[in-house]
Amino acid sequence: MPSGSLSQRKDVLLEVLGVALALMLLVGSFYLTGAPYLALGIAIGGLVVVWACMKPKRLVYVLIIWCCLYPYLESDLGMPRLLSYGGDLINILALLFSLRSKKPRAVKWGWVPVPIALFGLVALLSAIVHGVSPMLMLWEVRNVFRFFAFFLACICLLDTEDLKKIVKLLLAVFVVNLVLCSFESLVLHYGQDNTNGLFGSGSGGNAATDVLLLTMSCLAVFGYGRKTMDLPRVVFIIAGSCWISIIAELKFYFIQLALLIAVSLVVSKPSFKNLFLAVLLLAGLYEAVQLFYLFMPSWKEFFDLQTILESSSDGGYGSNEGLNRLSAIGTLQSMFISNATDNLFGLGFGAGTYSQFFSAPLYATWGETLHWTWFTDAQIYLETGYVGLACYTAFFVVLGAHAFRLREGLEASEAALVETGGAMAFFCVLLIVYNCVLTVDPGGYLIFFFLSMPLVVDRERRLQPREGKVIQ
């Protein structure tokens, strides 16, 4: 039988099976939900997942796209909250495929896995010692470790070209978000906390918006330094980020931008080009802050060190009873920690967790008052103590330092990706205190994709000689 005829029959068979699967999913989901649009969405989503599994790296693409769509579908189009758990399914499939890969053997891991392995050990022992319910512990494993699983999946499944394609996709998302956020603010007159474009008009969308702005800004700054991004695009990205920060009241982005300028000067080779960009960005940052004061007169003179420290320490964030960023751990320590052992190792991994279906006893009593789940450092400290928090934080510090060591000898576009990943690792140390984006989606997935970039690029460099390629 001719090979062409066999291939055509195989294609026809796959099409028939695809249609049959779509009909089964449509009928089955409609029977279970009684909602035709939801059933159609499940059927389409099921087909997309099956299609992605045929080439596992597609799962990462699908999860990134899902991160940028589901908040809008949920908060603005009324899709059920259960939609958010679709990311877990995709993530688990990506992890299973990644465990079959041999690519991690070529990764120069350094000390990167050690802190998170120690954190996992502390988390497990703390849960056992305090008798935390296995269900609560497993749910907290899902909350915290799913992003590390995604980090591994990215390293195992993606190559450098995939990184560049996803970055282009996220740049497109940035442009779409710029338009949507402007429309929401200027035309629909949404409140600042609800102006998040594709990341939805519900509470919490600001965290993912900030991640998108920060990652795009890192790509712009390091891309310009490596001559892979021209000045007009850099100005567009930074100006667009500042504009979104103004209308969405993302004060923290301005602090991040100032730190990014400083980091770029420290890690980049001294040159007139880099110095010019730093001066230009500082001037733009000053003007953006003045425009922010114009739009938000109630925050006049906020960007003063003493004011920032006081607003992050005094009272509570969101309510007088709640925790605040810089005083959260001290408050938890005085209320719940009664001995040195608990101070070091916490009350047990899962002891302070919750979901829409169940919650830990401690959370049921105090969680909705104190809101420790709003801050990653508070959540990690409460459950694993100072030792667990130190191990968790050390992962990002070690990864950042390791990333900047890996950039030597890379071509410009790849070095820019590695530097972006390294800078994001250091910014994660701030994000641990600032909010809970490292333990919630969609922002967590976006962050850990960027964190994986240095190791993906380095792995590809190490595999090139075996494939007969020349390292530039």
Side-chain angles (χ1 to χ4, degrees):
M1 181 182 296
S3 59
S5 176
L6 181 62
S7 176
Q8 290 176 354
R9 291 188 178 185
K10 185 183 294 185
D11 291 341
V12 171
L13 179 60
L14 288 174
E15 290 175 2
V16 171
L17 290 175
V19 171
L21 177 61
L23 289 173
M24 290 172 59
L25 287 171
L26 182 61
V27 173
S29 54
F30 179 72
Y31 176 77
L32 292 173
T33 64
Y37 295 114
L38 178 58
L40 181 61
I42 293 174
I44 295 174
L47 278 180
V48 169
V49 170
V50 172
W51 168 80
C53 288
M54 295 169 67
K55 196 173 183 180
K57 69 168 61 178
R58 292 172 179 166
L59 290 166
V60 176
Y61 284 79
V62 171
L63 188 48
I64 293 292
I65 294 171
W66 171 88
C67 286
C68 300
L69 285 181
Y70 99 82
Y72 186 82
L73 295 175
E74 182 182 315
S75 65
D76 291 65
L77 299 186
M79 297 295 282
R81 189 179 176 187
L82 286 173
L83 184 68
S84 64
Y85 298 116
D88 293 281
L89 171 62
I90 303 169
N91 194 26
I92 290 171
L93 290 172
L95 177 63
L96 293 176
F97 280 108
S98 68
L99 294 176
R100 299 170 53 190
S101 173
K102 296 181 181 180
K103 288 183 178 180
R105 298 178 186 177
V107 176
K108 186 178 181 181
W109 292 96
W111 290 92
V112 172
V114 175
I116 201 61
L118 291 175
F119 172 71
L121 180 62
V122 170
L124 176 63
L125 293 178
S126 68
I128 293 174
V129 169
H130 285 277
V132 176
S133 163
M135 180 177 67
L136 296 174
M137 183 182 69
L138 288 174
W139 184 253
E140 197 70 334
V141 167
R142 175 260 180 192
N143 289 340
V144 176
F145 285 96
R146 58 183 160 153
F147 301 115
F148 294 100
F150 182 63
F151 172 75
L152 178 62
C154 290
I155 294 171
C156 294
L157 301 178
L158 300 181
D159 55 35
T160 304
E161 287 305 311
D162 293 314
L163 299 182
K164 295 177 181 178
K165 290 177 183 177
I166 294 175
V167 163
K168 288 180 180 178
L169 170 66
L170 291 175
L171 282 169
V173 170
F174 172 82
V175 174
V176 172
N177 243 37
L178 179 59
V179 174
L180 277 178
C181 288
S182 300
F183 181 77
E184 290 173 344
S185 176
L186 301 178
V187 179
L188 300 180
H189 303 294
Y190 283 5
Q192 290 82 23
D193 288 343
N194 309 107
T195 305
N196 299 299
L198 290 174
F199 296 113
S201 58
S203 61
N206 275 12
T209 300
D210 176 67
V211 170
L212 181 65
L213 302 185
L214 177 59
T215 52
M216 293 303 104
S217 299
C218 287
L219 286 168
V221 170
F222 292 113
Y224 182 77
R226 291 289 180 171
K227 300 180 180 179
T228 62
M229 188 173 291
D230 55 35
L231 186 59
R233 280 204 294 171
V234 173
V235 171
F236 172 76
I237 290 172
I238 300 299
S241 297
C242 288
W243 169 245
I244 292 176
S245 299
I246 290 169
I247 60 179
E249 199 187 314
L250 281 171
K251 302 180 291 295
F252 188 54
Y253 171 77
F254 297 115
I255 298 173
Q256 290 171 317
L257 180 56
L259 292 173
L260 175 58
I261 296 170
V263 169
S264 67
L265 288 174
V266 170
V267 303
S268 302
K269 293 181 180 180
S271 68
F272 175 78
K273 180 185 180 74
N274 290 329
L275 182 60
F276 167 75
L277 180 63
V279 172
L280 180 64
L281 292 181
L282 284 173
L285 176 59
Y286 174 80
E287 293 300 327
V289 169
Q290 302 312 306
L291 187 60
F292 175 79
Y293 288 152
L294 182 63
F295 271 72
M296 308 290 173
S298 61
W299 291 102
K300 186 71 174 176
E301 307 303 330
F302 170 79
F303 292 99
D304 171 83
L305 182 59
Q306 183 177 353
T307 303
I308 293 173
L309 292 176
E310 288 178 354
S311 67
S312 300
S313 303
D314 298 341
Y317 179 77
S319 65
N320 291 330
E321 297 82 13
L323 302 176
N324 210 334
R325 291 185 173 98
L326 298 182
S327 57
I329 289 180
T331 303
L332 292 175
Q333 191 177 46
S334 63
M335 292 184 66
F336 304 117
I337 307 299
S338 58
N339 56 69
T341 302
D342 288 347
N343 197 30
L344 289 174
F345 300 102
L347 301 180
F349 196 62
T353 194
Y354 82 103
S355 75
Q356 66 185 100
F357 309 108
F358 54 83
S359 62
L362 183 63
Y363 186 90
T365 304
W366 288 102
E368 293 300 321
T369 301
L370 298 177
H371 298 296
W372 56 73
T373 55
W374 289 2
F375 310 108
T376 299
D377 65 330
Q379 176 83 5
I380 298 294
Y381 167 76
L382 182 67
E383 297 184 342
T384 63
Y386 277 121
V387 174
L389 181 59
C391 292
Y392 184 83
T393 306
F395 168 80
F396 301 102
V397 176
V398 172
L399 177 59
H402 186 62
F404 282 107
R405 286 196 294 267
L406 294 177
R407 62 184 171 158
E408 298 300 327
L410 292 171
E411 65 176 48
S413 61
E414 294 174 347
L417 295 177
V418 170
E419 289 171 342
T420 296
M424 282 303 301
F426 289 130
F427 276 113
C428 284
V429 177
L430 291 178
L431 291 172
I432 288 172
V433 179
Y434 179 65
N435 59 21
C436 58
V437 71
L438 290 170
T439 54
V440 297
D441 51 43
Y445 286 117
L446 296 178
I447 287 175
F448 277 82
F449 162 72
F450 281 92
L451 294 182
S452 73
M453 293 198 303
L455 297 179
V456 172
V457 171
D458 184 65
R459 186 209 68 216
E460 286 294 290
R461 172 171 57 177
R462 292 172 180 280
L463 289 177
Q464 282 177 346
R466 303 177 192 177
E467 299 170 355
K469 298 179 181 178
V470 177
I471 302 177
Q472 301 294 325

